[in-house]
Amino acid sequence: MIIGIALFSAVAGLFIKQYKPELALFVSLAAGAVILIALVIFVGKIKDELKQIFEEIGANTAIFSSVFKAMGICYLAKFATDVCKDFGQNSLAGKIELTGKICVALVTLPLVREILKVALELIG
Amino acid sequence: MKKAFVILIVVLTAFITFKTSAKSIDTDDILKEQMDLSGVDKLYDALPEDISNALKDFEIENIIKDDDAISFGKLIENFSELFKPQFNDAIACGFSVLALLLAAATFNSFGDENKVLKYAVTVGVTTAAVVPAAKLITSVVSAVKAFSTFMVSFVPIYAGVLASSGKALTAAGYSSVMLLAVEGINLICAFVLIPLSGMQLSLGICSPLGEGIDISGVAAAIKKFSMWTLSGLTTLLLGFLSVQTIITGSKDNLISKTAKFVAGTAIPLVGPTVSEAMNIIKGCLKLLSSSVLIYAVIAVALILLPILIKLVIWRVAMNLCSFSASMLSLDKPSKLLKSIDSVFAFLIGILTLSMLLFLISLTIVSL
């Protein structure tokens, strides 16, 4: 389905680009959004499955959730950056990248805090 | 009538004499008396609560009183039961780390070399591996403390048993050297080695979080210093104990043989009997000494072996994860896992040396 949407939007974009180039970008943007939503659904299923496995082996699911969130943020930031670059907004793309990095730092902050706590305990 | 009276007197005398002599060579009574006097019962109280409970589960808390209590099959069965729970944490941690590594590798395989994601994965792997590793260091500290507490109670008792069995000089040398060694190891572990391993681990876990920090040299130096200190001390103590035991053992032997000779020749009429009685008492003390030895070895095994096995399993898990990280081209997690593994190797070294010191010293003095 995703491949179908991508191919259709590519062909449609090419046609529209000949007559209305400013609309072609919106077509690719809409197709990208639909693909992303479909991916989020698939990734959600994978996440639930992996979480269940983690719970079964008695591992810390908080770590897994944080890393998975970081992955999600990376993908979203990359998608947004690419779209901005398509529109020729390189400066905005850079800002999105920076926001993504800060968000990843925020998501991993509890883990970093835990690591530093352990390190301090070990030294003390 | 007179004849019958004489026969009755003879029979009664023989019966009384037999009963008296039978009582005089009742080794169980001698052994029981020697046990009460040596204070071996105090050994059980010197053990930590979990080890006492484990001994109860093993049904060998009264090993000194009951010779039939030791069964090799039962021991193996109970030890295997004791080691099963040690696998769970390491396996859970290993799987968590592997899952994170695979997730990162999957992301990389899409062709997106993302530094931010690599950082997130490294942080995740660090948290998954380091928190249980730090707990393990605490367990090692507790095990070393429990070992030294037990040894402080065991050494004087065993030295007492050795002294009563005619090895007075060996016992004096053993108790002084071993008490010094136990206190020394305890102090060095508590104030130098365990903090050093903690530092090594904390440096190891902080370095992947920052770019361009490589502490492998510091970690190697700490490891080298600690291992040289421990092995040097152990070699020195065991060497000293061996030389001392060779000298004192000969003196003890001489004193014992002289005492037997004097008892056999100088005491009129019952001299040879006294000499033989000395042999029986010595035999009982040897039995007591062996029982105390076996009890101590099992107790020390129960104190140190579970944590030792746990560390070995953790090392296997960390090495496997490190290899996987290397294969997936994730250098930072691989380095981190290797540094955790080196801390575990160092802790294994401390525990093994403590055990070796205990076992070799016992072998030296009991020969």
Side-chain angles (χ1 to χ4, degrees), chain B residues 207-244:
Chain B
S207 64
L209 302 179
E211 278 289 331
I213 304 171
D214 186 14
I215 52 97
S216 53
V218 182
I222 290 174
K223 193 181 166 187
K224 225 176 230 179
F225 165 75
S226 315
M227 290 325 284
W228 272 100
T229 313
L230 264 185
S231 1
L233 273 175
T234 312
T235 314
L236 207 73
L237 283 165
L238 287 176
F240 181 67
L241 189 65
S242 311
V243 173
Q244 202 183 34

PDB file of all heavy atoms in Angstrom, chain B residues 207-244:
ATOM      1  N   SER B 207      32.763   7.744  29.889  1.00  0.00           N
ATOM      2  CA  SER B 207      33.504   8.048  28.660  1.00  0.00           C
ATOM      3  C   SER B 207      32.669   7.922  27.381  1.00  0.00           C
ATOM      4  O   SER B 207      32.846   8.731  26.476  1.00  0.00           O
ATOM      5  CB  SER B 207      34.766   7.198  28.564  1.00  0.00           C
ATOM      6  OG  SER B 207      34.434   5.860  28.468  1.00  0.00           O
ATOM      7  N   PRO B 208      31.755   6.940  27.260  1.00  0.00           N
ATOM      8  CA  PRO B 208      30.989   6.894  26.004  1.00  0.00           C
ATOM      9  C   PRO B 208      30.023   8.059  25.847  1.00  0.00           C
ATOM     10  O   PRO B 208      29.554   8.335  24.763  1.00  0.00           O
ATOM     11  CB  PRO B 208      30.195   5.578  26.103  1.00  0.00           C
ATOM     12  CG  PRO B 208      30.824   4.820  27.185  1.00  0.00           C
ATOM     13  CD  PRO B 208      31.394   5.806  28.117  1.00  0.00           C
ATOM     14  N   LEU B 209      29.727   8.753  26.966  1.00  0.00           N
ATOM     15  CA  LEU B 209      28.779   9.865  26.878  1.00  0.00           C
ATOM     16  C   LEU B 209      29.412  11.109  26.269  1.00  0.00           C
ATOM     17  O   LEU B 209      28.727  11.974  25.754  1.00  0.00           O
ATOM     18  CB  LEU B 209      28.219  10.196  28.266  1.00  0.00           C
ATOM     19  CG  LEU B 209      27.502   9.055  28.987  1.00  0.00           C
ATOM     20  CD1 LEU B 209      27.023   9.507  30.345  1.00  0.00           C
ATOM     21  CD2 LEU B 209      26.310   8.578  28.166  1.00  0.00           C
ATOM     22  N   GLY B 210      30.740  11.183  26.358  1.00  0.00           N
ATOM     23  CA  GLY B 210      31.411  12.358  25.794  1.00  0.00           C
ATOM     24  C   GLY B 210      32.244  11.969  24.596  1.00  0.00           C
ATOM     25  O   GLY B 210      32.747  10.846  24.519  1.00  0.00           O
ATOM     26  N   GLU B 211      32.406  12.904  23.685  1.00  0.00           N
ATOM     27  CA  GLU B 211      33.205  12.632  22.475  1.00  0.00           C
ATOM     28  C   GLU B 211      34.695  12.732  22.799  1.00  0.00           C
ATOM     29  O   GLU B 211      35.123  13.613  23.556  1.00  0.00           O
ATOM     30  CB  GLU B 211      32.866  13.663  21.382  1.00  0.00           C
ATOM     31  CG  GLU B 211      31.606  13.339  20.593  1.00  0.00           C
ATOM     32  CD  GLU B 211      31.766  12.159  19.653  1.00  0.00           C
ATOM     33  OE1 GLU B 211      32.871  11.908  19.174  1.00  0.00           O
ATOM     34  OE2 GLU B 211      30.748  11.471  19.422  1.00  0.00           O
ATOM     35  N   GLY B 212      35.468  11.828  22.258  1.00  0.00           N
ATOM     36  CA  GLY B 212      36.925  11.945  22.351  1.00  0.00           C
ATOM     37  C   GLY B 212      37.531  11.620  23.698  1.00  0.00           C
ATOM     38  O   GLY B 212      38.677  11.959  23.947  1.00  0.00           O
ATOM     39  N   ILE B 213      36.761  11.016  24.608  1.00  0.00           N
ATOM     40  CA  ILE B 213      37.342  10.637  25.914  1.00  0.00           C
ATOM     41  C   ILE B 213      37.693   9.152  25.853  1.00  0.00           C
ATOM     42  O   ILE B 213      36.837   8.312  25.580  1.00  0.00           O
ATOM     43  CB  ILE B 213      36.342  10.890  27.074  1.00  0.00           C
ATOM     44  CG1 ILE B 213      35.900  12.342  27.081  1.00  0.00           C
ATOM     45  CG2 ILE B 213      36.977  10.521  28.411  1.00  0.00           C
ATOM     46  CD1 ILE B 213      34.768  12.633  28.043  1.00  0.00           C
ATOM     47  N   ASP B 214      38.954   8.875  26.092  1.00  0.00           N
ATOM     48  CA  ASP B 214      39.373   7.469  26.093  1.00  0.00           C
ATOM     49  C   ASP B 214      40.096   7.180  27.406  1.00  0.00           C
ATOM     50  O   ASP B 214      41.182   7.695  27.666  1.00  0.00           O
ATOM     51  CB  ASP B 214      40.309   7.206  24.902  1.00  0.00           C
ATOM     52  CG  ASP B 214      40.646   5.734  24.780  1.00  0.00           C
ATOM     53  OD1 ASP B 214      39.953   4.920  25.426  1.00  0.00           O
ATOM     54  OD2 ASP B 214      41.598   5.398  24.047  1.00  0.00           O
ATOM     55  N   ILE B 215      39.442   6.375  28.246  1.00  0.00           N
ATOM     56  CA  ILE B 215      40.028   6.128  29.567  1.00  0.00           C
ATOM     57  C   ILE B 215      40.595   4.711  29.668  1.00  0.00           C
ATOM     58  O   ILE B 215      40.854   4.211  30.752  1.00  0.00           O
ATOM     59  CB  ILE B 215      39.000   6.372  30.694  1.00  0.00           C
ATOM     60  CG1 ILE B 215      37.706   5.583  30.440  1.00  0.00           C
ATOM     61  CG2 ILE B 215      38.674   7.827  30.867  1.00  0.00           C
ATOM     62  CD1 ILE B 215      37.605   4.320  31.126  1.00  0.00           C
ATOM     63  N   SER B 216      40.737   4.062  28.508  1.00  0.00           N
ATOM     64  CA  SER B 216      41.194   2.663  28.557  1.00  0.00           C
ATOM     65  C   SER B 216      42.559   2.532  29.239  1.00  0.00           C
ATOM     66  O   SER B 216      42.820   1.557  29.939  1.00  0.00           O
ATOM     67  CB  SER B 216      41.233   2.075  27.146  1.00  0.00           C
ATOM     68  OG  SER B 216      41.987   2.904  26.322  1.00  0.00           O
ATOM     69  N   GLY B 217      43.431   3.568  29.068  1.00  0.00           N
ATOM     70  CA  GLY B 217      44.748   3.548  29.700  1.00  0.00           C
ATOM     71  C   GLY B 217      44.637   3.596  31.214  1.00  0.00           C
ATOM     72  O   GLY B 217      45.305   2.838  31.923  1.00  0.00           O
ATOM     73  N   VAL B 218      43.759   4.480  31.707  1.00  0.00           N
ATOM     74  CA  VAL B 218      43.564   4.619  33.160  1.00  0.00           C
ATOM     75  C   VAL B 218      43.031   3.308  33.728  1.00  0.00           C
ATOM     76  O   VAL B 218      43.496   2.805  34.766  1.00  0.00           O
ATOM     77  CB  VAL B 218      42.569   5.785  33.466  1.00  0.00           C
ATOM     78  CG1 VAL B 218      42.395   5.958  34.962  1.00  0.00           C
ATOM     79  CG2 VAL B 218      43.039   7.060  32.837  1.00  0.00           C
ATOM     80  N   ALA B 219      42.033   2.748  33.032  1.00  0.00           N
ATOM     81  CA  ALA B 219      41.417   1.497  33.492  1.00  0.00           C
ATOM     82  C   ALA B 219      42.457   0.376  33.548  1.00  0.00           C
ATOM     83  O   ALA B 219      42.519  -0.390  34.518  1.00  0.00           O
ATOM     84  CB  ALA B 219      40.278   1.115  32.559  1.00  0.00           C
ATOM     85  N   ALA B 220      43.298   0.310  32.516  1.00  0.00           N
ATOM     86  CA  ALA B 220      44.334  -0.741  32.482  1.00  0.00           C
ATOM     87  C   ALA B 220      45.325  -0.562  33.621  1.00  0.00           C
ATOM     88  O   ALA B 220      45.755  -1.539  34.249  1.00  0.00           O
ATOM     89  CB  ALA B 220      45.051  -0.703  31.139  1.00  0.00           C
ATOM     90  N   ALA B 221      45.673   0.719  33.903  1.00  0.00           N
ATOM     91  CA  ALA B 221      46.633   0.994  34.985  1.00  0.00           C
ATOM     92  C   ALA B 221      46.053   0.571  36.332  1.00  0.00           C
ATOM     93  O   ALA B 221      46.741  -0.056  37.152  1.00  0.00           O
ATOM     94  CB  ALA B 221      46.971   2.483  34.994  1.00  0.00           C
ATOM     95  N   ILE B 222      44.773   0.894  36.553  1.00  0.00           N
ATOM     96  CA  ILE B 222      44.110   0.528  37.816  1.00  0.00           C
ATOM     97  C   ILE B 222      44.109  -0.990  37.973  1.00  0.00           C
ATOM     98  O   ILE B 222      44.434  -1.543  39.027  1.00  0.00           O
ATOM     99  CB  ILE B 222      42.659   1.090  37.860  1.00  0.00           C
ATOM    100  CG1 ILE B 222      42.686   2.605  37.999  1.00  0.00           C
ATOM    101  CG2 ILE B 222      41.867   0.477  39.003  1.00  0.00           C
ATOM    102  CD1 ILE B 222      41.319   3.260  37.912  1.00  0.00           C
ATOM    103  N   LYS B 223      43.765  -1.664  36.872  1.00  0.00           N
ATOM    104  CA  LYS B 223      43.685  -3.130  36.902  1.00  0.00           C
ATOM    105  C   LYS B 223      45.058  -3.736  37.226  1.00  0.00           C
ATOM    106  O   LYS B 223      45.184  -4.620  38.078  1.00  0.00           O
ATOM    107  CB  LYS B 223      43.195  -3.615  35.536  1.00  0.00           C
ATOM    108  CG  LYS B 223      42.775  -5.063  35.520  1.00  0.00           C
ATOM    109  CD  LYS B 223      42.339  -5.440  34.124  1.00  0.00           C
ATOM    110  CE  LYS B 223      42.225  -6.933  33.980  1.00  0.00           C
ATOM    111  NZ  LYS B 223      41.977  -7.312  32.600  1.00  0.00           N
ATOM    112  N   LYS B 224      46.085  -3.212  36.554  1.00  0.00           N
ATOM    113  CA  LYS B 224      47.435  -3.739  36.740  1.00  0.00           C
ATOM    114  C   LYS B 224      47.891  -3.540  38.184  1.00  0.00           C
ATOM    115  O   LYS B 224      48.395  -4.466  38.830  1.00  0.00           O
ATOM    116  CB  LYS B 224      48.395  -3.004  35.779  1.00  0.00           C
ATOM    117  CG  LYS B 224      49.352  -3.942  35.066  1.00  0.00           C
ATOM    118  CD  LYS B 224      50.169  -3.152  34.075  1.00  0.00           C
ATOM    119  CE  LYS B 224      50.135  -3.811  32.720  1.00  0.00           C
ATOM    120  NZ  LYS B 224      50.883  -3.071  31.728  1.00  0.00           N
ATOM    121  N   PHE B 225      47.678  -2.330  38.681  1.00  0.00           N
ATOM    122  CA  PHE B 225      48.113  -2.005  40.048  1.00  0.00           C
ATOM    123  C   PHE B 225      47.422  -2.927  41.053  1.00  0.00           C
ATOM    124  O   PHE B 225      48.056  -3.507  41.940  1.00  0.00           O
ATOM    125  CB  PHE B 225      47.781  -0.535  40.355  1.00  0.00           C
ATOM    126  CG  PHE B 225      47.837  -0.191  41.809  1.00  0.00           C
ATOM    127  CD1 PHE B 225      49.062  -0.055  42.451  1.00  0.00           C
ATOM    128  CD2 PHE B 225      46.677  -0.028  42.555  1.00  0.00           C
ATOM    129  CE1 PHE B 225      49.119   0.252  43.795  1.00  0.00           C
ATOM    130  CE2 PHE B 225      46.718   0.268  43.895  1.00  0.00           C
ATOM    131  CZ  PHE B 225      47.947   0.408  44.525  1.00  0.00           C
ATOM    132  N   SER B 226      46.099  -3.089  40.881  1.00  0.00           N
ATOM    133  CA  SER B 226      45.329  -3.886  41.839  1.00  0.00           C
ATOM    134  C   SER B 226      45.759  -5.350  41.807  1.00  0.00           C
ATOM    135  O   SER B 226      45.957  -5.978  42.859  1.00  0.00           O
ATOM    136  CB  SER B 226      43.836  -3.805  41.522  1.00  0.00           C
ATOM    137  OG  SER B 226      43.476  -2.497  41.269  1.00  0.00           O
ATOM    138  N   MET B 227      45.918  -5.887  40.602  1.00  0.00           N
ATOM    139  CA  MET B 227      46.253  -7.309  40.498  1.00  0.00           C
ATOM    140  C   MET B 227      47.660  -7.584  41.022  1.00  0.00           C
ATOM    141  O   MET B 227      47.892  -8.574  41.702  1.00  0.00           O
ATOM    142  CB  MET B 227      46.125  -7.808  39.046  1.00  0.00           C
ATOM    143  CG  MET B 227      44.721  -7.889  38.509  1.00  0.00           C
ATOM    144  SD  MET B 227      43.439  -8.368  39.657  1.00  0.00           S
ATOM    145  CE  MET B 227      43.710 -10.100  39.800  1.00  0.00           C
ATOM    146  N   TRP B 228      48.591  -6.649  40.740  1.00  0.00           N
ATOM    147  CA  TRP B 228      49.957  -6.825  41.252  1.00  0.00           C
ATOM    148  C   TRP B 228      49.962  -6.769  42.774  1.00  0.00           C
ATOM    149  O   TRP B 228      50.620  -7.572  43.433  1.00  0.00           O
ATOM    150  CB  TRP B 228      50.879  -5.731  40.678  1.00  0.00           C
ATOM    151  CG  TRP B 228      51.471  -6.133  39.365  1.00  0.00           C
ATOM    152  CD1 TRP B 228      51.047  -5.751  38.133  1.00  0.00           C
ATOM    153  CD2 TRP B 228      52.579  -7.025  39.154  1.00  0.00           C
ATOM    154  NE1 TRP B 228      51.818  -6.344  37.158  1.00  0.00           N
ATOM    155  CE2 TRP B 228      52.770  -7.128  37.752  1.00  0.00           C
ATOM    156  CE3 TRP B 228      53.426  -7.740  39.988  1.00  0.00           C
ATOM    157  CZ2 TRP B 228      53.763  -7.911  37.178  1.00  0.00           C
ATOM    158  CZ3 TRP B 228      54.421  -8.514  39.413  1.00  0.00           C
ATOM    159  CH2 TRP B 228      54.579  -8.592  38.035  1.00  0.00           C
ATOM    160  N   THR B 229      49.215  -5.824  43.339  1.00  0.00           N
ATOM    161  CA  THR B 229      49.158  -5.684  44.803  1.00  0.00           C
ATOM    162  C   THR B 229      48.626  -6.965  45.425  1.00  0.00           C
ATOM    163  O   THR B 229      49.224  -7.519  46.363  1.00  0.00           O
ATOM    164  CB  THR B 229      48.225  -4.505  45.183  1.00  0.00           C
ATOM    165  OG1 THR B 229      48.546  -3.395  44.391  1.00  0.00           O
ATOM    166  CG2 THR B 229      48.328  -4.159  46.657  1.00  0.00           C
ATOM    167  N   LEU B 230      47.489  -7.434  44.890  1.00  0.00           N
ATOM    168  CA  LEU B 230      46.851  -8.618  45.490  1.00  0.00           C
ATOM    169  C   LEU B 230      47.710  -9.868  45.341  1.00  0.00           C
ATOM    170  O   LEU B 230      47.926 -10.607  46.307  1.00  0.00           O
ATOM    171  CB  LEU B 230      45.501  -8.857  44.827  1.00  0.00           C
ATOM    172  CG  LEU B 230      44.292  -8.286  45.537  1.00  0.00           C
ATOM    173  CD1 LEU B 230      43.034  -8.700  44.823  1.00  0.00           C
ATOM    174  CD2 LEU B 230      44.222  -8.748  46.982  1.00  0.00           C
ATOM    175  N   SER B 231      48.205 -10.100  44.119  1.00  0.00           N
ATOM    176  CA  SER B 231      48.993 -11.327  43.920  1.00  0.00           C
ATOM    177  C   SER B 231      50.290 -11.268  44.711  1.00  0.00           C
ATOM    178  O   SER B 231      50.726 -12.274  45.275  1.00  0.00           O
ATOM    179  CB  SER B 231      49.299 -11.608  42.460  1.00  0.00           C
ATOM    180  OG  SER B 231      48.797 -10.662  41.631  1.00  0.00           O
ATOM    181  N   GLY B 232      50.890 -10.074  44.782  1.00  0.00           N
ATOM    182  CA  GLY B 232      52.121  -9.932  45.554  1.00  0.00           C
ATOM    183  C   GLY B 232      51.894 -10.250  47.015  1.00  0.00           C
ATOM    184  O   GLY B 232      52.658 -11.026  47.620  1.00  0.00           O
ATOM    185  N   LEU B 233      50.823  -9.671  47.572  1.00  0.00           N
ATOM    186  CA  LEU B 233      50.525  -9.906  48.988  1.00  0.00           C
ATOM    187  C   LEU B 233      50.254 -11.378  49.266  1.00  0.00           C
ATOM    188  O   LEU B 233      50.747 -11.951  50.254  1.00  0.00           O
ATOM    189  CB  LEU B 233      49.292  -9.082  49.395  1.00  0.00           C
ATOM    190  CG  LEU B 233      49.569  -7.649  49.852  1.00  0.00           C
ATOM    191  CD1 LEU B 233      48.267  -6.923  50.105  1.00  0.00           C
ATOM    192  CD2 LEU B 233      50.394  -7.671  51.135  1.00  0.00           C
ATOM    193  N   THR B 234      49.440 -11.991  48.391  1.00  0.00           N
ATOM    194  CA  THR B 234      49.084 -13.399  48.591  1.00  0.00           C
ATOM    195  C   THR B 234      50.328 -14.288  48.521  1.00  0.00           C
ATOM    196  O   THR B 234      50.520 -15.169  49.362  1.00  0.00           O
ATOM    197  CB  THR B 234      48.071 -13.856  47.514  1.00  0.00           C
ATOM    198  OG1 THR B 234      47.050 -12.893  47.451  1.00  0.00           O
ATOM    199  CG2 THR B 234      47.473 -15.193  47.820  1.00  0.00           C
ATOM    200  N   THR B 235      51.177 -14.038  47.514  1.00  0.00           N
ATOM    201  CA  THR B 235      52.401 -14.840  47.375  1.00  0.00           C
ATOM    202  C   THR B 235      53.287 -14.685  48.609  1.00  0.00           C
ATOM    203  O   THR B 235      53.812 -15.665  49.142  1.00  0.00           O
ATOM    204  CB  THR B 235      53.181 -14.395  46.117  1.00  0.00           C
ATOM    205  OG1 THR B 235      52.271 -14.281  45.047  1.00  0.00           O
ATOM    206  CG2 THR B 235      54.274 -15.362  45.760  1.00  0.00           C
ATOM    207  N   LEU B 236      53.401 -13.445  49.062  1.00  0.00           N
ATOM    208  CA  LEU B 236      54.248 -13.153  50.224  1.00  0.00           C
ATOM    209  C   LEU B 236      53.734 -13.896  51.462  1.00  0.00           C
ATOM    210  O   LEU B 236      54.494 -14.581  52.170  1.00  0.00           O
ATOM    211  CB  LEU B 236      54.214 -11.646  50.469  1.00  0.00           C
ATOM    212  CG  LEU B 236      55.428 -11.048  51.148  1.00  0.00           C
ATOM    213  CD1 LEU B 236      56.588 -11.010  50.162  1.00  0.00           C
ATOM    214  CD2 LEU B 236      55.117  -9.633  51.618  1.00  0.00           C
ATOM    215  N   LEU B 237      52.422 -13.784  51.695  1.00  0.00           N
ATOM    216  CA  LEU B 237      51.833 -14.412  52.886  1.00  0.00           C
ATOM    217  C   LEU B 237      51.936 -15.937  52.836  1.00  0.00           C
ATOM    218  O   LEU B 237      52.311 -16.582  53.823  1.00  0.00           O
ATOM    219  CB  LEU B 237      50.362 -13.999  53.022  1.00  0.00           C
ATOM    220  CG  LEU B 237      50.148 -12.592  53.572  1.00  0.00           C
ATOM    221  CD1 LEU B 237      48.730 -12.140  53.327  1.00  0.00           C
ATOM    222  CD2 LEU B 237      50.449 -12.554  55.056  1.00  0.00           C
ATOM    223  N   LEU B 238      51.633 -16.488  51.656  1.00  0.00           N
ATOM    224  CA  LEU B 238      51.668 -17.950  51.540  1.00  0.00           C
ATOM    225  C   LEU B 238      53.095 -18.472  51.631  1.00  0.00           C
ATOM    226  O   LEU B 238      53.347 -19.515  52.243  1.00  0.00           O
ATOM    227  CB  LEU B 238      51.014 -18.398  50.223  1.00  0.00           C
ATOM    228  CG  LEU B 238      49.495 -18.281  50.192  1.00  0.00           C
ATOM    229  CD1 LEU B 238      48.960 -18.659  48.830  1.00  0.00           C
ATOM    230  CD2 LEU B 238      48.847 -19.155  51.249  1.00  0.00           C
ATOM    231  N   GLY B 239      54.023 -17.736  51.046  1.00  0.00           N
ATOM    232  CA  GLY B 239      55.429 -18.133  51.133  1.00  0.00           C
ATOM    233  C   GLY B 239      55.895 -18.137  52.574  1.00  0.00           C
ATOM    234  O   GLY B 239      56.525 -19.100  53.046  1.00  0.00           O
ATOM    235  N   PHE B 240      55.550 -17.076  53.294  1.00  0.00           N
ATOM    236  CA  PHE B 240      55.941 -16.957  54.693  1.00  0.00           C
ATOM    237  C   PHE B 240      55.325 -18.096  55.519  1.00  0.00           C
ATOM    238  O   PHE B 240      55.997 -18.733  56.329  1.00  0.00           O
ATOM    239  CB  PHE B 240      55.473 -15.596  55.219  1.00  0.00           C
ATOM    240  CG  PHE B 240      55.832 -15.339  56.652  1.00  0.00           C
ATOM    241  CD1 PHE B 240      57.165 -15.180  57.021  1.00  0.00           C
ATOM    242  CD2 PHE B 240      54.859 -15.263  57.628  1.00  0.00           C
ATOM    243  CE1 PHE B 240      57.500 -14.951  58.341  1.00  0.00           C
ATOM    244  CE2 PHE B 240      55.190 -15.038  58.954  1.00  0.00           C
ATOM    245  CZ  PHE B 240      56.514 -14.877  59.312  1.00  0.00           C
ATOM    246  N   LEU B 241      54.038 -18.348  55.252  1.00  0.00           N
ATOM    247  CA  LEU B 241      53.341 -19.415  55.988  1.00  0.00           C
ATOM    248  C   LEU B 241      53.968 -20.782  55.692  1.00  0.00           C
ATOM    249  O   LEU B 241      54.121 -21.610  56.599  1.00  0.00           O
ATOM    250  CB  LEU B 241      51.855 -19.415  55.603  1.00  0.00           C
ATOM    251  CG  LEU B 241      50.932 -20.299  56.420  1.00  0.00           C
ATOM    252  CD1 LEU B 241      50.856 -19.818  57.858  1.00  0.00           C
ATOM    253  CD2 LEU B 241      49.547 -20.338  55.818  1.00  0.00           C
ATOM    254  N   SER B 242      54.323 -21.018  54.423  1.00  0.00           N
ATOM    255  CA  SER B 242      54.917 -22.311  54.048  1.00  0.00           C
ATOM    256  C   SER B 242      56.229 -22.523  54.786  1.00  0.00           C
ATOM    257  O   SER B 242      56.458 -23.570  55.391  1.00  0.00           O
ATOM    258  CB  SER B 242      55.187 -22.376  52.559  1.00  0.00           C
ATOM    259  OG  SER B 242      54.093 -21.981  51.849  1.00  0.00           O
ATOM    260  N   VAL B 243      57.102 -21.509  54.730  1.00  0.00           N
ATOM    261  CA  VAL B 243      58.419 -21.638  55.374  1.00  0.00           C
ATOM    262  C   VAL B 243      58.241 -21.846  56.877  1.00  0.00           C
ATOM    263  O   VAL B 243      58.868 -22.726  57.485  1.00  0.00           O
ATOM    264  CB  VAL B 243      59.275 -20.375  55.069  1.00  0.00           C
ATOM    265  CG1 VAL B 243      60.567 -20.408  55.859  1.00  0.00           C
ATOM    266  CG2 VAL B 243      59.567 -20.283  53.591  1.00  0.00           C
ATOM    267  N   GLN B 244      57.342 -21.038  57.452  1.00  0.00           N
ATOM    268  CA  GLN B 244      57.104 -21.137  58.899  1.00  0.00           C
ATOM    269  C   GLN B 244      56.570 -22.520  59.275  1.00  0.00           C
ATOM    270  O   GLN B 244      56.989 -23.112  60.265  1.00  0.00           O
ATOM    271  CB  GLN B 244      56.100 -20.056  59.295  1.00  0.00           C
ATOM    272  CG  GLN B 244      56.170 -19.719  60.758  1.00  0.00           C
ATOM    273  CD  GLN B 244      55.117 -18.711  61.132  1.00  0.00           C
ATOM    274  OE1 GLN B 244      54.026 -18.710  60.573  1.00  0.00           O
ATOM    275  NE2 GLN B 244      55.439 -17.855  62.076  1.00  0.00           N
TER     276      GLN B 244
END
